[in-house]
């Protein structure tokens, strides 16, 4: 939940969804908390029983030893032998006490190892890393045949996506697939690249069963541009070059798998010359770069890349969020083209592109696809009308196929789709977005219409949408919060967090005090026992002493068992409750910050997620037995020092003088480990980020065959921290070894000095054997405490970071006591009322831009908007159009109040005040959370209101998704899957529309709301707009002019200015660029 939320901060803030998601987060945490409490009790019981067994063994040894000595010479056992056995048992019991706190660490490691091993040992039926299994064709012509293929996704085994499909994609021909959203089009692409195997039938590649062909070889001959273009957090150079990793050019594999490309990009970002840096690495790299630039030219990406600050060395951000959707798509297209594949699959490859880019790319593709097997999946029919064959899908079946002219002549399904999308240039139509009508020389290489970015991170969501690419170099890792909290302040914060559990804190301290005092009590019993077992005493007296001290040791065993269970369970409960509270408060604090905070100081989702995962887990490391052990050690040390000075101060005083040496070794180890934790935490967070990104982008990774390359990158990310950690851990262990060795030296000193005092007659044997174990156990226990230093150091650093985060959130330490009650039932913290409500304004709101200037905080030298003046009347349907990078998405981000203008005013109903509850957003990238459909739609409801089932269904009907949901076995309780991947792109977009409509907003913002919709759904959406536009103000951005033709007013935005405005017909008559776009999108035959 936290990962998804951090990856979509803008979406969460746009709908004020933080409290609702926090409630879900709390419910999940409560399940973990219950397991944690059980674990704490189990660990405490285990710890206690270890002591019970050890002390019981001592009791038995004393009892049997006394009997043996009392029997005299007949037993053949001397008092010295009995002493040796008893002392070994006493020492063994102490060693057990030292080992016990680590048992739960070993148990956790074993459990983690088991889970990891199960993944490692799993054999995949579709292994893209195996180069030996399966045949490799001498030549791939690219003929793909589907024979009676049936398919169901593993996540939905009872729902058939394809049903008895038979298809032929002829070699060297261009075949297009069209049809409604969810009809199985993208599934064809997934099966062709063998991301899945069919449930029935078979797929042939050049007459060979696809399951007999080596998977890695197959994918090396296929280039794919997926519907949701996913790029990795590398430079543009590396992302495009990824297309070569698993290609036919094996001679350059060493460069692609190494760090050369990354080093070149770093050199350029550090101020070096790109061409010089490339040339320095030899001709092979020069060839790779030439291919990258050639592919970028074909994909119409070279211009905007060159215009960015670092050119091809520019970092893309997680999932490519540093650029717009259209730019991501162009880079993904370049990545596919550089491979020179035998089969090219384009799944909505131009859905996010403006019209000028689309024209440019289609012109290039016409040359590229000549003689190459090409499979195009598209909703925008103007992009595939020249295909050799067009296949129309519906409900997982082929309903018709033929050329564009043939299908139009039949006047069936395809013809109706054409009619729905055809742009009549003489009458007004559905609102188109001219946002992309500029000529190539006016389009800047800047991000455009992306209010919400991709599934991994949101780092520049709303910021980069209309601006030049920007980056925060990953090599400049800094502390995201940048504060230094003192140890005292940290302890005060922890104490405040623990305040609601004070009863258990005191109970745990009391029990731990008993455990700590037991060591001194054991020393007293041990000393008296040794004195009582003298053969000089009568046998009856020896037996009575043995019975007494044996019984006392057994009572000690029961007492220590009970005290350990109480201590471990109490501190475990306090730790689990505190970690639960800290995670909730940290989650709340993260989503209380604005987008600018999330975008600065290297705050990536992976780094911020570490607060809730790694840091909270480190804090949880100070669990019941660990805290109980530390408290008992401190009590043992103080009790031992006090008691030994009372009994034999001359012996104790000399031995105590060695204690500072022992403590100094431990303190040095603590310092070294704390520095290590501070220094390398962010470095390891980078490695975690790579892992998260890889898992979330697994389809892209598999399609491109990047498994080996990503493993190499992951290994390189660990090398530096590992080497430094290894040295510093060795340094820390030196001090640990010193602490342990000093305790043995104290033993030697104790026996030497103690015997001298006994011989001198100053102290008795009993006094000596009381002082000896009491002080030595205290000294050794200090060594044990310092062995726990890694956990303590991690917990201290993690606590400081979490407290710093909480301090910038809405909650304060003095108001934290009731948080568990707030969320224990998983109630919606934002909305408790289920009563219907009336929209705030039945006619929408008025919006005015008054001389607005704006620059993004990350790039203050670039002006995104210049003297923008817009007037939008209540209930008006208006559209923003213009070239990429013109400022359209910036206007929407200002309307959402993610930023404030640098100059001028934005008025809502003639006021500058803003109520986000009155605004709803449909982003271009429609993200869904891994929850039910009901939750994902209902999350759009206003604050203070929980959407009813009726409201959710009404919104879904308006978005034309209700029937699709109703047809699913679980209906509205169907889970959407990670990133909503259980639904098609079009279905996700319709759910996103429903989410906005359930809010019943006064202002509806639409950013490419129909880019992934089929023609039928688009018509339904236009009808919906017609129904709702009379009671709300609509501001829309779209590439499909057909979508916005009926807009009351269309604002033409160029270079941050509004250069023209009017209706569709007015702009078509007087504006050349608008007219060119309209004509290009016409489907007339």
């Amino acid at each position: 939940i936290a990962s998804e939320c951090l990856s979509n901060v803008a979406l969460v803030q746009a709908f004020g969804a933080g409290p609702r998601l926090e409630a879900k987060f709390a419910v999940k945490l409560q399940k973990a908390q219950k397991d944690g409490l059980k674990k704490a009790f189990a660990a405490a019981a285990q710890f206690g029983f270890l002591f019970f067994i050890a002390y019981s063994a001592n009791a038995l040894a004393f009892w049997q030893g006394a009997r043996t000595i009392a029997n005299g010479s007949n037993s053949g056992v001397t008092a010295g032998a009995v002493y040796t056995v008893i002392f070994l048992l006493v020492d063994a019991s102490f060693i057990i006490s030292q080992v016990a706190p680590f048992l739960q660490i070993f148990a956790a490691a074993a459990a983690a190892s088991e889970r990891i091993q199960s993944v490692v040992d799993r054999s995949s039926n579709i292994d893209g890393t195996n180069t030996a299994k399966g045949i490799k064709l001498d030549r791939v012509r690219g003929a793909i045949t589907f024979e009676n293929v049936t398919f169901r996704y593993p996540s939905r085994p009872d729902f058939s996506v394809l049903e008895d499909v038979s298809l032929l994609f002829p070699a060297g021909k261009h075949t297009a697939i069209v049809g409604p959203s969810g009809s199985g089009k993208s599934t064809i692409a997934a099966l062709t690249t063998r991301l899945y195997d069919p449930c029935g039938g078979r797929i042939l590649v050049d007459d060979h069963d696809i399951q007999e062909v080596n998977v890695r070889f197959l994918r090396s001959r296929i280039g794919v541009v997926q519907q949701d273009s996913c790029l990795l957090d590398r430079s543009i150079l590396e992302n495009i070059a990824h297309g070569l990793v698993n290609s036919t050019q094996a001679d350059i594999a060493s460069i692609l798998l190494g760090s050369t490309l990354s080093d070149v990009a770093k050199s350029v970002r550090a101020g070096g010359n790109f061409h010089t840096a490339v040339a320095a690495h030899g001709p092979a790299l020069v060839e790779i770069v030439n291919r990258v630039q050639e592919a970028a030219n074909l994909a119409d990406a070279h211009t905007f890349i060159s215009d960015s600050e670092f050119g091809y060395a520019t970092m893309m951000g997680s999932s490519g969020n540093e650029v717009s959707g259209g730019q991501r798509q162009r880079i993904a297209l370049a990545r596919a083209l550089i491979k020179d594949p035998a089969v090219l699959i384009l799944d909505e490859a131009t859905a996010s592109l403006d019209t000028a880019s689309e024209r440019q790319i289609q012109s290039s593709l016409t040359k590229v696809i000549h003689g190459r097997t090409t499979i195009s999946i598209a909703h925008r029919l103007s992009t595939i009308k020249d295909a050799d064959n067009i296949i129309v899908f519906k409900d997982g079946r082929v309903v018709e196929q033929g050329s564009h002219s043939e299908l139009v002549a039949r006047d069936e399904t395809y013809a109706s789709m054409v009619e729905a999308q055809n742009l009549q240039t003489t009458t007004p139509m559905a609102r188109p977005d001219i946002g992309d009508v500029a000529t190539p020389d006016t389009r800047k290489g800047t991000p455009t219409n992306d209010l919400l970015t991709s599934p991994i991170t949101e780092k520049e969501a709303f910021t980069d949408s209309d601006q030049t690419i920007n980056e925060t170099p990953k090599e400049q890792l800094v502390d995201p919060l940048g504060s230094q909290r003192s140890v005292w302040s940290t302890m005060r914060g922890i104490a405040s967090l623990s305040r609601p559990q004070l009863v258990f804190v005191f109970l745990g301290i009391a029990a731990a005090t008993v455990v700590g005092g037991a060591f001194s009590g054991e020393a007293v019993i041990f000393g008296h026992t040794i004195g009582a077992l003298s053969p000089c005493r009568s046998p009856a007296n020896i037996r009575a002493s043995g019975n007494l001290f044996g019984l006392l040791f057994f009572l000690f065993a029961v007492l220590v068992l009970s005290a350990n269970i109480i201590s471990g369970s109490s501190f475990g409960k306090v730790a689990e409750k505190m970690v639960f509270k800290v995670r909730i408060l940290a989650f709340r604090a993260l989503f209380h910050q604005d987008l600018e905070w999330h975008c600065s100081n290297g705050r990536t989702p992976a780094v911020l997620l570490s607060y809730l995962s790694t840091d909270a887990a480190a804090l949880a490391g100070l669990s019941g037995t660990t805290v109980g052990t530390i408290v008992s050690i401190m009590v043992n040390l103080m009790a031992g020092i006090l008691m030994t000075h009372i009994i034999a101060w001359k012996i104790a005083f000399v031995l105590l003088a060695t204690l500072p040496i022992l403590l100094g070794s431990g303190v040095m180890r603590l310092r070294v480990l704390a520095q290590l934790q501070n220094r390398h935490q962010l470095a390891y967070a980078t490695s975690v980020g790579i892992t998260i990104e890889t898992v979330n982008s697994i389809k892209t990774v598999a399609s491109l065959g990047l498994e080996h390359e990503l493993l190499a990158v992951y290994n390189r990310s660990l090398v530096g921290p590992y080497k430094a950690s290894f040295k510093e851990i060795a340094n820390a262990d030196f001090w640990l070894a010193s602490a342990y060795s000093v305790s043995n030296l104290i033993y030697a000193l104790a026996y030497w000095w103690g015997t001298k005092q006994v011989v001198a007659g100053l102290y008795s044997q009993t006094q000596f054997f009381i002082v000896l174990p009491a002080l030595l156990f205290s000294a050794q226990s200090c060594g044990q405490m310092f062995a726990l230093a890694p956990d303590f150091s991690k917990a201290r650093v993690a606590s400081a970071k979490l407290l710093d985060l909480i301090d910038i959130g809405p909650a304060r330490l003095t108001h934290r006591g009731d948080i568990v009650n707030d969320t224990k039932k998983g109630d919606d913290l934002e909305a408790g009322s289920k009563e219907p409500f009336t929209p705030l304004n039945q006619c929408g709101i008025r919006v005015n831009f008054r001389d607005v200037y704006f620059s993004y905080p990350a790039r203050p030298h670039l002006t995104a908007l210049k003297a923008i003046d817009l007037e939008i009347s209540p209930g008006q349907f208006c559209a923003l159009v213009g070239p990429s990078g013109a400022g359209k998405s910036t206007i929407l981000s200002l309307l959402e109040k993610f930023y404030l203008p640098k100059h001028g005013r934005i008025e809502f109903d003639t006021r500058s005040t803003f109520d986000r509850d009155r605004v709803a957003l449909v982003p271009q990238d429609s993200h869904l959370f891994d929850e039910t459909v009901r939750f994902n739609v209902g999350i759009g409801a206003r604050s203070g209101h929980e959407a009813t089932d009726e409201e959710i269904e009404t919104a879904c009907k308006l978005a034309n998704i209700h029937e699709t949901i109703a047809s699913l076995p679980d209906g509205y309780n169907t889970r959407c899957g990670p990133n909503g991947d259980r639904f098609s792109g079009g279905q996700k977009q319709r759910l996103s529309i429903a989410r906005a409509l359930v809010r019943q907003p006064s202002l509806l913002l639409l950013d490419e709301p129909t880019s992934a919709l089929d023609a039928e759904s688009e018509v339904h959406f236009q009808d919906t707009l017609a129904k709702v536009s009379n009671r709300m103000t609509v501001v829309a951005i779209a590439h499909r002019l057909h979508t916005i033709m009926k807009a009351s007013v269309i604002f033409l935005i160029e270079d941050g200015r509004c250069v023209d405005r009017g209706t569709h017909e007015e702009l078509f008559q007087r504006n050349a660029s608008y007219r060119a776009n309209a004509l290009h999108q016409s489907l007339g035959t």
Side-chain angles (χ1 to χ4, degrees), residues 933 937 956 961-972 974 983 991:
V933 171
V937 176
C956 288
I961 190 67
H962 172 72
E963 291 183 5
T964 300
I965 298 169
S967 68
L968 298 173
D970 295 326
Y972 280 85
T974 301
F983 290 93
L991 284 169

Side-chain angles (χ1 to χ4, degrees), residues 910-931:
T910 70
R911 299 186 302 271
S912 296
T913 56
F914 172 76
D915 180 5
R916 188 168 280 156
D917 271 345
R918 305 180 68 186
V919 182
L921 172 70
V922 178
Q924 184 174 356
D925 294 330
S926 302
H927 180 84
L928 301 177
F929 295 98
D930 188 11
E931 280 291 339

